[in-house]
Amino acid sequence: MKKMIFAPFLIMASLTIIADESVADSDLELMSLYGGEEFISIATGVTQPIAKAPAVASVVTAEEIEKIGARDIDDVLETIPGLHVAKDSTGYNPIYTFRGIYAGLNPQVLMLINGIPITNLFQGDRNLVWGGMPVQSISRIEVIRGPGSALYGADAFAGVINIVTHEANGEEHFEAGARYGTFNTKDFWVSKGGSIGDLKFYGILEGQKTDGFNEKIKADAQSLWDMFGGTNASLAPGSVNTQRENYDARLELVYKNLTLRGGLQSRNNAGDGVGAAQALAENNRLSSQRFNTDLTYDNKAIIKDLSLKVQASYLHTTQEVEGDLVLYPAGSTGPFFDEFGVPIFPGGFPDGVIGSPEVYERHSRLNISSFYTGIDKHEVGFGTGYYYGDLYKVKESKNFGINPSTGFPIMPGDPVVDVSDTPFVFLEEDERENSYFFLQDIWQFANDWELTAGVRYDHYSDFGDTVNPRFALVWSTTRKLTTKLIYGEAFRAPSFVQTRAINNPLLLGNPTLDPEELKSYEIAFDYRPNYDLILNVNAFYYEWDDIIQFVSDPGGSTSTAQNAGEQTGHGMEFEARWSATERLKLIGNFAWQKSKDRNLDTDAANSPEKQLYAQMDWQFSEHWNLNLQANWVMDRNRAGGDARSDIDNYALVDMTLRRKSLWRGIDVALIVKNLFDEDAREPSPNSDFGAFIPDDLPLAGQTIMAEIRYNY
C-alpha cells in the first residue's frame, strides 16, 4: 500500500528533475525565494527555511492572521492542510484532528506556547475549561503535521502546534483595538513595547466577552432518560451554552541573553456546551485560572562552535465550577436504573443531578540544550530535562452516591455533599515525574543532501521508559525542488482520568496502562518554480497502536480504560500559494486521508476524509483589502455501532473587508464569519445507549463583527 501511495510522487520528482536540468539560477536567487517569515524552528530546534526543514510544516504569520479576520487560534488552524478543528460536546473545546487521528479529549496533539508544553495531567489536553485563545499577542503559529516525540517527548503525536508570541525587540510600539458584533460579542486589546536602556519589554492585555451563539439541539441525554423514566425534564430543544468572559495578559522582558515571560489566562462565566453529561442545563458556569512564567538563558556562542540554552518554566492551572454543575436538570431520574431498566429514584432529583468536579495542577520544567557545529558538515544537538507535574487538589460536591459522613446513599432532595478529601471523590490526587535525554545530528553529507537523525529517551515515574527515534532525508533535488523522506515514532502518555479515575458509575481508570504509540512514514515535495508560486505535496502512512479506550467490564455497568485500539491511515495533502499580482494572492489546499479501525475493520470515525480550503486576498486599492476564504469539510464517518447516517458535509465562507489608515494610525474592518449562514455541524459522540445528541453539535451561524484598531 505504501509503495502505491508514494509511486506517483517519485514519478513527479523525476519529471521535474528533467525539466529543470537546463536552469541556471544562482544560489543567491535560490535564497531569495525564502523570506524572513518562511523560517521555522520547531522541526529541529534550529531555525531553517521551511522548505528545507525535515518535517511537513506550516507557518502562519501575524499579518496573515489579521488579513483573515481571526479572533481565535482555531480560526487560523482551520487553514492548515490536513488539520481540522472539530468540537467536543463539553464546553465546545477544540479537537485538533490531524490526518484521521481523532479522540474526544484530543491528547494526541502537543500545543506549545513559545516552545513550552501546556498539557494538563487530568485529561491530557489543554484544559477542560479552555475557552479559546485570542490572537493579538501572537507573532506566528508554527505547525508540524506528524510525530515530534524525538524532540518534544510526550503527546507530540499526530502533530505539534507552537504559538510564538510577540517578542520584546526594543522597538517603540503601541496598539489598541476593539471589536463588537453578533451575540453581544465584545473584544478589546492594548499592547505596548519599547526599551529602557538595555532592558527590552513587550506587554499586552486582551479581553473577550460573548453571550454565545443561539443554535439549538433537538434532543439530549435527558431526552433519553425521560423515555426510560417517564419524566419530562429535558430542556431540549434548546440552545447550546457557549457564553464566556476571557482575559489574557502577557509580558516579556529581555536583558542581553536573558528572557523572562509571564502569562495569565483567566476564563470566567464559561458555558458547558451541551452539558458535561450531554444534557442541557440553564445556569452552568465554569472557570479556569492559568498562570505561566518562564526564564530562558540563550547564548548562541557560549564558546566557539557551541550554543547553550537553559530554560526553567512553571505553569499553574485550574478547572473550577461557579456554583453547582447540574449534570441532569431538575426532575431527572439521572442515569440510575436497575438491571431491568427501572429508575432507582423514580421521583427524580428535584434540584437536578449535581456533580461539581474541580482540579488544580502545577507543572515545573527545567530544560538544557546545546548545539555544536565544530564537526565538519555536522550540527549536533543534545539536551536533557526534568518535568514535575502535580495534580495537587481534587474537589467534588454532589447530590448522589455515598455520603462519607454517614456511609449511606445520598437521596434525591438531600443537600449537596462535599466529598473532597474522602475515598468517595472522583479522582485520585497524584504526581508525575519525567526525565529525558535527546540527541540529534543534522548531517550535510553532500552538497544537496542532508540527513537529520535523532532519538529521545524518556523515563516516567508512573509507566516507565520509552525511546522514540526519527530520520529525515532532505534532498535539494534542483534549485526549485526539495524532496523529503521522513520516518518518525511518537508516544502519548496516559492521562490521569484514564489511570486514576475512581467512584465513577460509568468509567474507571487503569493504573497499568501503557502509552499509545505511533509510527509514521512520509514523502514530501516543495516546488518553487518562481518567486510567486509555491507548490507543496506530501503523502503519508501511519500505524497507531495501544490506543486507550474504555472497555466494558464483564458482568457490570462500568468500563475500564485499556490499551485496546489499533488504527492505520494513509493519505496526501496538497497546497498552493500564488502571488498572482503584487496585490492579489491566492492560497488553496486539499487533504485526503483514509484511516481504518483495525479491530472493527471499519473506516475510522469522525475525521473528514476530504478537506478543501481556498483563500483570496486582494488589495484592490491603496488602503482597501478584501479577504475571502472558503472551507469545505467532507466525508466524515460514524463510529462503529452508530446507526445514524453519515455526518453532513458543510462549506463555510468568511469575508474580511479592511480599510487601512482611515485616519492617521487608525484601521477599521468588517468581519463576517459563515457568510451564507450554513447549518454546519460537528459529530456528537455515540454511546452504548445511542447518540445522546442525535442531530450533532451545531456551529455558529452567520456572525458579523466590526473592528477598529489604532497603531502608533
Side-chain angles (χ1 to χ4, degrees):
M1 174 63 72
K2 284 178 276 187
K3 292 180 179 179
M4 292 176 63
I5 297 170
F6 295 154
F9 297 95
L10 296 175
I11 295 170
M12 173 188 166
S14 301
L15 292 175
T16 307
I17 296 167
I18 295 170
D20 275 1
E21 281 180 345
S22 62
V23 178
D25 298 336
S26 68
D27 291 339
L28 181 62
E29 185 180 30
L30 169 65
M31 290 310 297
S32 69
L33 292 175
Y34 306 104
E37 296 174 344
E38 279 288 317
F39 282 73
I40 192 169
S41 61
I42 63 168
T44 60
V46 178
T47 301
Q48 299 169 293
I50 192 169
K52 306 297 181 181
V56 177
S58 301
V59 174
V60 186
T61 66
E63 180 183 6
E64 294 169 319
I65 291 171
E66 179 183 324
K67 285 181 176 179
I68 66 174
R71 299 178 56 243
D72 187 90
I73 59 170
D74 293 352
D75 298 333
V76 183
L77 294 174
E78 192 67 35
T79 71
I80 303 295
L83 169 56
H84 173 57
V85 184
K87 295 295 181 183
D88 183 24
S89 57
T90 303
Y92 263 51
N93 290 321
I95 299 175
Y96 302 124
T97 307
F98 286 83
R99 298 176 169 180
I101 296 178
Y102 178 102
L105 300 176
N106 198 215
Q108 290 83 6
V109 175
L110 179 65
M111 180 171 283
L112 312 168
I113 297 181
N114 296 313
I116 300 173
I118 56 171
T119 306
N120 283 219
L121 289 169
F122 174 41
Q123 301 276 26
D125 56 3
R126 273 69 59 191
N127 194 291
L128 191 59
V129 192
W130 172 242
M133 182 174 177
V135 298
Q136 297 307 135
S137 66
I138 296 174
S139 170
R140 56 202 282 117
I141 298 177
E142 304 175 333
V143 180
I144 289 179
R145 308 191 296 280
S149 287
L151 196 60
Y152 293 104
D155 312 322
F157 197 84
V160 180
I161 301 168
N162 184 34
I163 298 168
V164 182
T165 58
H166 287 295
E167 64 178 1
N169 57 17
E171 295 181 2
E172 290 295 330
H173 155 86
F174 175 80
E175 180 176 310
R179 299 189 193 97
Y180 181 77
T182 314
F183 315 123
N184 196 28
T185 301
K186 307 167 188 174
D187 299 346
F188 78 86
W189 67 93
V190 59
S191 65
K192 181 73 172 74
S195 63
I196 304 174
D198 290 335
L199 179 66
K200 305 172 186 177
F201 66 88
Y202 175 83
I204 186 169
L205 174 65
E206 301 176 82
Q208 293 183 332
K209 186 176 182 180
T210 181
D211 293 341
F213 60 85
N214 54 11
E215 306 299 322
K216 297 182 182 298
I217 61 171
K218 296 178 181 178
D220 62 358
Q222 185 56 48
S223 303
L224 186 63
W225 306 143
D226 285 345
M227 291 175 57
F228 285 142
T231 54
N232 187 29
S234 176
L235 301 181
S239 298
V240 296
N241 190 4
T242 58
Q243 82 283 338
R244 64 177 186 239
E245 185 175 345
N246 297 346
Y247 297 98
D248 290 64
R250 298 194 180 276
L251 176 66
E252 178 172 311
L253 303 175
V254 176
Y255 180 75
K256 297 183 179 179
N257 293 324
L258 286 173
T259 300
L260 176 65
R261 298 188 187 97
L264 171 68
Q265 292 181 293
S266 178
R267 303 292 179 260
N268 305 284
N269 196 33
D272 61 347
V274 295
Q278 298 186 64
L280 295 176
E282 290 181 325
N283 298 309
N284 284 345
R285 300 291 185 269
L286 306 173
S287 66
S288 174
Q289 309 303 318
R290 305 193 287 272
F291 170 77
N292 68 279
T293 185
D294 60 88
L295 178 64
T296 303
Y297 172 80
D298 191 0
N299 192 326
K300 302 298 183 184
I302 190 166
I303 59 174
K304 183 181 179 182
D305 301 324
L306 184 69
S307 68
L308 177 65
K309 184 175 182 179
V310 181
Q311 185 174 66
S313 66
Y314 176 79
L315 168 67
H316 186 272
T317 176
T318 72
Q319 176 185 305
E320 303 174 61
V321 177
E322 299 179 4
D324 292 328
L325 184 67
V326 178
L327 304 178
Y328 301 99
S332 172
T333 62
F336 306 112
F337 301 89
D338 64 20
E339 56 185 329
F340 303 105
V342 177
I344 295 175
F345 306 112
F349 289 75
D351 299 318
V353 179
I354 296 172
S356 301
E358 297 188 333
V359 174
Y360 300 76
E361 302 182 22
R362 48 196 172 210
H363 306 257
S364 301
R365 300 176 188 271
L366 176 63
N367 308 297
I368 303 172
S369 61
S370 186
F371 287 88
Y372 181 65
T373 57
I375 304 174
D376 186 37
K377 297 184 179 181
H378 289 266
E379 186 165 5
V380 180
F382 50 94
T384 186
Y386 172 77
Y387 161 75
Y388 173 75
D390 187 11
L391 197 156
Y392 69 94
K393 184 190 298 185
V394 175
K395 297 173 64 177
E396 184 183 16
S397 57
K398 56 186 180 180
N399 66 351
F400 62 93
I402 301 298
N403 188 328
S405 299
T406 65
F408 294 107
I410 304 170
M411 301 301 292
D414 287 352
V416 173
V417 177
D418 188 348
V419 298
S420 307
D421 298 319
T422 75
F424 300 100
V425 75
F426 75 101
L427 185 74
E428 295 176 318
E429 297 172 2
D430 209 343
E431 58 190 32
R432 169 179 283 172
E433 294 180 83
N434 165 225
S435 55
Y436 73 87
F437 175 82
F438 81 88
L439 179 65
Q440 174 183 272
D441 183 21
I442 304 173
W443 176 26
Q444 188 171 359
F445 60 90
N447 287 339
D448 299 325
W449 293 85
E450 187 173 87
L451 175 66
T452 300
V455 64
R456 173 164 159 156
Y457 164 79
D458 285 84
H459 173 74
Y460 278 81
S461 57
D462 50 349
F463 62 81
D465 303 330
T466 178
V467 178
N468 293 270
R470 73 152 174 178
F471 303 93
L473 185 62
V474 179
W475 176 27
S476 298
T477 318
T478 71
R479 288 186 174 90
K480 298 180 179 181
L481 174 68
T482 302
T483 304
K484 307 177 186 181
L485 294 170
I486 304 167
Y487 170 78
E489 297 183 11
F491 73 101
R492 197 275 283 184
S495 68
F496 276 22
V497 75
Q498 293 169 330
T499 58
R500 295 158 173 83
I502 55 177
N503 299 316
N504 189 308
L506 298 177
L507 304 176
L508 298 176
N510 178 2
T512 66
L513 288 176
D514 293 324
E516 297 181 355
E517 297 180 344
L518 184 82
K519 295 181 179 180
S520 172
Y521 309 81
E522 300 173 80
I523 184 169
F525 301 93
D526 186 296
Y527 181 54
R528 305 185 180 215
N530 54 54
Y531 306 125
D532 300 321
L533 181 62
I534 301 173
L535 300 174
N536 292 315
V537 62
N538 69 82
F540 62 86
Y541 172 84
Y542 67 81
E543 298 174 353
W544 179 15
D545 296 316
D546 288 332
I547 303 173
I548 299 173
Q549 300 172 334
F550 285 94
V551 178
S552 297
D553 297 317
S557 60
T558 59
S559 296
T560 299
Q562 305 285 353
N563 292 109
E566 296 181 345
Q567 181 172 311
T568 60
H570 63 272
M572 62 166 289
E573 296 151 356
F574 174 80
E575 182 178 20
R577 305 175 74 91
W578 181 34
S579 297
T581 70
E582 185 178 348
R583 294 188 174 187
L584 177 63
K585 295 182 179 180
L586 302 175
I587 299 173
N589 62 67
F590 175 76
W592 168 83
Q593 63 86 21
K594 194 74 171 178
S595 301
K596 183 171 286 292
D597 185 320
R598 292 195 296 190
N599 288 346
L600 300 176
D601 194 27
T602 60
D603 291 334
N606 299 321
S607 298
E609 292 186 349
K610 299 184 186 72
Q611 291 173 258
L612 178 63
Y613 173 81
Q615 182 189 146
M616 180 195 77
D617 190 78
W618 180 29
Q619 185 183 350
F620 58 89
S621 73
E622 182 181 0
H623 297 295
W624 287 92
N625 194 90
L626 176 66
N627 186 284
L628 291 171
Q629 56 177 354
N631 185 39
W632 289 265
V633 176
M634 299 169 281
D635 298 349
R636 294 167 292 173
N637 303 304
R638 295 293 186 188
D642 193 330
R644 291 177 291 174
S645 59
D646 286 348
I647 306 151
D648 290 340
N649 301 338
Y650 65 77
L652 298 180
V653 178
D654 301 335
M655 181 193 77
T656 301
L657 180 64
R658 191 171 300 278
R659 173 61 158 90
K660 292 281 190 178
S661 301
L662 181 63
W663 296 283
R664 185 176 180 181
I666 294 179
D667 303 339
V668 296
L670 176 68
I671 303 167
V672 184
K673 299 293 184 181
N674 194 357
L675 180 65
F676 300 112
D677 201 24
E678 173 87 352
D679 182 15
R681 293 174 183 262
E682 289 297 326
S684 60
N686 195 37
S687 74
D688 293 339
F689 299 97
F692 292 137
I693 313 293
D695 54 339
D696 291 313
L697 306 175
L699 301 182
Q702 185 186 81
T703 304
I704 303 174
M705 299 285 293
E707 176 187 292
I708 184 170
R709 63 175 70 202
Y710 171 71
N711 288 280
Y712 174 75

